[in-house]
Amino acid sequence: RDDLWVRDGKILDPEKLFFDEKASADIQLDCKGCIIAPGFIDVQINGGFGVDFSLATDDFKAGIDLVSQKILSHGVTSFCPTLVTSPPSVYHQVLPQIGVRNGGAQGAGILGAHLEGPFISKEKKGAHPEHCLRTFETGAFQDLLSTYGSLEHVRIVTLAPEMKRSSEVIRELTQRGICVSLGHSVANLSQAEEAVQHGATFITHLFNAMLP
């Protein structure tokens, strides 16, 4: 029920506009009761509209394009295609097909991949396939690299911080500019705090598949 003042693509402070500039709008638009809101950023979307991002298909890019187009009408302007726990072969095939691009009238922007697993807790796996779960105990970060194949367009990795050697993995990911998210975990408070001290900055579906 208020006016929104915009100049050169930026929202203005109407108080300064009114008292300092004493300006009036060049163009007035009646939004007819609609809501103006910032675009939503969906950081954990496993697919949609019949598309599953964890399926290695020949037309994977077409699926990404379809989701990108369709979610605009739901107010989402950018997103991270999210893969659930999968075998290494799936990551090796799918990740090179997830690029980064700006959004526009043709569809929502793609920020990069979110890898939810397979380095998560067996007790809190939820819908993730148990036979694909992995640990860091042997090679730590090298295990992660060989599992995913490439981290080029990866933006978020969800892992369980109580796993042995997770601290060094968190440090390595953070140094590469990848957001480490804690989730699907039986970590206690001190284990979670230690992960934060090593660079974790996010939580995947808070209070779901984790201890209180």
Side-chain angles (χ1 to χ4, degrees):
R1 285 176 283 277
D2 288 308
D3 291 336
L4 187 76
W5 294 78
V6 180
R7 176 187 288 150
D8 297 328
K10 291 189 176 180
I11 296 172
L12 304 178
D13 178 353
E15 191 174 349
K16 286 182 180 177
L17 193 77
F18 183 80
F19 288 109
D20 297 348
E21 295 187 33
K22 297 180 173 58
S24 57
D26 297 319
I27 302 169
Q28 288 185 323
L29 297 173
D30 184 349
C31 293
K32 297 181 169 56
C34 289
I35 295 171
I36 296 177
F40 297 124
I41 301 172
D42 197 333
V43 295
Q44 186 202 10
I45 173 170
N46 302 118
F49 314 101
V51 175
D52 182 349
F53 294 144
S54 300
L55 283 181
T57 58
D58 293 335
D59 59 349
F60 183 84
K61 285 187 177 178
I64 284 259
D65 290 344
L66 177 70
V67 173
S68 174
Q69 293 160 13
K70 295 276 190 182
I71 59 175
L72 272 183
S73 63
H74 296 274
V76 178
T77 54
S78 59
F79 68 106
C80 292
T82 305
L83 278 72
V84 297
T85 294
S86 303
S89 59
V90 170
Y91 296 115
H92 291 201
Q93 188 172 343
V94 168
L95 286 179
Q97 300 186 69
I98 298 178
V100 174
R101 67 183 187 219
N102 291 329
Q106 80 287 352
I110 298 173
L111 302 173
H114 176 175
L115 305 180
E116 188 186 356
F119 303 99
I120 58 174
S121 160
K122 187 188 298 184
E123 292 84 357
K124 294 291 184 182
K125 65 180 176 14
H128 293 241
E130 186 172 329
H131 69 279
C132 293
L133 299 182
R134 300 171 83 88
T135 66
F136 300 125
E137 288 188 43
T138 48
F141 190 68
Q142 287 306 313
D143 287 348
L144 180 140
L145 279 179
S146 61
T147 298
Y148 294 147
S150 169
L151 295 174
E152 186 179 359
H153 294 306
V154 174
R155 291 294 169 263
I156 305 173
V157 172
T158 293
L159 55 82
E162 71 275 13
M163 286 190 166
K164 289 179 184 175
R165 302 187 71 179
S166 66
S167 294
E168 55 190 281
V169 171
I170 292 169
R171 280 197 303 268
E172 288 278 0
L173 287 169
T174 304
Q175 285 168 8
R176 286 164 169 76
I178 294 171
C179 169
V180 174
S181 185
L182 310 181
H184 286 279
S185 164
V186 291
N188 58 34
L189 182 59
S190 62
Q191 289 169 322
E193 286 176 337
E194 186 182 351
V196 170
Q197 287 159 6
H198 286 106
T201 55
F202 210 60
I203 294 178
T204 296
H205 43 65
L206 180 64
F207 301 132
N208 179 10
M210 62 186 65
L211 300 182

